[in-house]
Amino acid sequence: MALVTSGSGADQVIAEVAMNGGADPSATTVRATVVQASTIFHDTPATLDKAERLIAEAAGYGSQLVVFPEAFIGGYPRGSTFGFGISISIINPKDKGKEAFRRYHASAIDVPGPEVTRLAAMATKYKVFLVMGVIEREGYTLYCSVLFFDPLGRYLGKHRKLMPTALERIIWGFGDGSTIPVYDTPLGKIGALICWENKMPLLRTALYGKGIEIYCAPTADSRPVWQASMTHIALEGGCFVLSANQFCRRKDYPPPPEYEFAGLGEEPSADTVVCPGGSVIISPSGEVLAGPNYEGEALITADLDLGEIVRAKFDFDVVGHYSRPEVLRLVVNDQPQLPVSFTSAAERTPAAKSDIDTKSY
């Protein structure tokens, strides 16, 4: 694994912005790593093994925070149409897409669940804060989510992607305002948005309003223009931006006919790069600290000078001295949006409520 270094909700176990009041003033720098690596598609146990190897390597370099790409656990179904965009028939080829979805669903993880427990154990074993992109399974609906863990092995909570993009809407459900967390940690206030929801100004503003300092942006977008978005967010939010993407070749996915790539004209060769990465770390002043890397799997690592946050806010504090709340304000509905609710829930005894609460985050 290559090391690239710098030149210089309802699911919460830990309350947001309540651990220690922001970055530890005695700590002037934080060493952070974004992981650029591929899922082992349709093999979640092997992907977890790979994740542990990468976390161990990053921890060996002294990293305190490790950020993984979008959908690292469960996989990003690059090139798959799940039978859509080919025919309007209710029979084939959508029947083939249904089987593809069954396999994809089997690779997803329950939150909480055994895979979450294992990830928490990794965080405590290697003494890192861990931000992990996963495909979350709730019943028969999948969500693109980010999970947060601390070095004590605690699962802090999750962010569910609020707005899937294009064909993602066929296979993933939609998050709501109850999972837009920013966690106050000894490293600083950490949160995440996923891929193109980083382009949503109001959603970014919700994170700024919670005081985000280390802004994680797991993504599947490897285009050069993505770098401009990341730089803009760093400047706009006065925060560090850590964007992690996968580096994938065709051979990282199952071979045809089990898995076929669409939109490339013809089936790519095994060594064809289907996602070149572009993972990057950017400072609050817009300086690229490490990356972007388009060469292969890598650990992109930088030391974050926390004083840069204050220096950046002197010029521009988007929810502070550079805001005009009497003219423009954002209201966020942070309540869970449940499709079914039962009036009898309000009549449960406190003991029964407690029992239910202990079974879900």
Side-chain angles (χ1 to χ4, degrees):
M1 177 64 63
L3 172 67
V4 180
T5 60
S6 67
S8 49
D11 297 285
Q12 298 155 14
V13 179
I14 306 301
E16 293 182 50
V17 192
M19 290 170 71
N20 81 329
D24 182 351
S26 66
T28 58
T29 62
V30 170
R31 180 160 293 181
T33 291
V34 294
V35 173
Q36 180 165 288
S38 175
T39 301
I40 302 174
F41 211 79
H42 286 169
D43 194 338
T44 297
T47 301
L48 286 165
D49 290 342
K50 182 175 183 177
E52 181 161 9
R53 292 193 299 271
L54 294 166
I55 293 167
E57 192 168 350
Y61 295 129
S63 293
Q64 300 157 276
L65 170 65
V66 183
V67 181
F68 277 77
E70 177 178 13
F72 185 78
I73 306 295
Y76 189 87
R78 195 174 306 279
S80 178
T81 65
F82 291 87
F84 284 82
I86 301 172
S87 169
I88 60 171
S89 172
I90 62 171
I91 54 174
N92 288 328
K94 288 193 179 69
D95 285 350
K96 187 176 181 180
K98 291 176 182 178
E99 175 58 20
F101 181 76
R102 184 200 65 76
R103 292 194 299 268
Y104 191 52
H105 182 273
S107 298
I109 67 172
D110 296 325
V111 181
E115 294 84 3
V116 175
T117 300
R118 184 174 176 191
L119 289 167
M122 293 179 200
T124 192
K125 180 178 180 180
Y126 300 104
K127 306 301 180 190
V128 296
F129 283 88
L130 176 62
V131 178
M132 176 64 72
V134 307
I135 299 303
E136 176 194 356
R137 179 177 57 220
E138 184 173 287
Y140 299 101
T141 295
L142 302 181
Y143 297 91
C144 182
S145 299
V146 171
L147 309 184
F148 300 85
F149 302 87
D150 74 7
L152 298 179
R154 294 182 294 187
Y155 163 63
L156 303 181
K158 70 186 176 189
H159 165 61
R160 279 181 176 172
K161 194 171 190 177
L162 195 67
M163 193 66 208
T165 300
L167 284 172
E168 294 173 358
R169 298 174 197 174
I170 293 171
I171 54 169
W172 295 341
F174 291 60
D176 62 33
S178 69
T179 65
I180 312 175
V182 170
Y183 295 105
D184 193 355
T185 78
L187 306 186
K189 296 173 184 174
I190 301 172
L193 297 182
I194 306 169
C195 205
W196 277 21
E197 65 177 1
N198 285 285
K199 295 184 176 184
M200 300 171 70
L202 299 184
L203 187 52
R204 296 198 306 268
T205 302
L207 293 188
Y208 302 152
K210 292 184 174 185
I212 192 164
E213 295 168 326
I214 301 176
Y215 184 121
C216 303
T219 188
D221 192 339
S222 60
R223 299 172 304 157
V225 73
W226 180 254
Q227 304 300 319
S229 290
M230 297 299 95
T231 300
H232 172 77
I233 292 169
L235 291 167
E236 178 181 65
C239 53
F240 290 96
V241 172
L242 285 61
S243 183
N245 196 3
Q246 298 194 31
F247 182 93
C248 307
R249 298 184 186 274
R250 174 61 183 91
K251 63 186 177 184
D252 293 316
Y253 289 80
E258 179 184 351
Y259 194 102
E260 296 178 349
F261 269 73
L264 297 179
E266 59 183 25
E267 177 66 22
S269 67
D271 287 326
T272 298
V273 176
V274 295
C275 180
S279 302
V280 69
I281 299 176
I282 302 175
S283 80
S285 65
E287 178 186 359
V288 175
L289 300 178
N293 182 288
Y294 296 100
E295 302 303 318
E297 293 199 340
L299 300 179
I300 292 92
T301 299
D303 290 329
L304 315 183
D305 174 5
L306 301 179
E308 278 295 304
I309 298 170
V310 179
R311 290 190 282 271
K313 299 286 190 181
F314 173 74
D315 290 330
F316 186 82
D317 185 354
V318 67
V319 291
H321 62 76
Y322 222 92
S323 65
R324 289 292 304 279
E326 77 280 15
V327 179
L328 302 168
R329 290 197 306 155
L330 172 65
V331 177
V332 179
N333 180 356
D334 60 1
Q335 297 302 304
Q337 302 301 300
L338 303 177
V340 181
S341 60
F342 298 93
T343 57
S344 60
E347 301 170 3
R348 292 193 183 104
T349 64
K353 289 182 181 178
S354 175
D355 180 63
I356 291 171
D357 289 344
T358 61
K359 295 178 182 178
S360 61
Y361 290 119

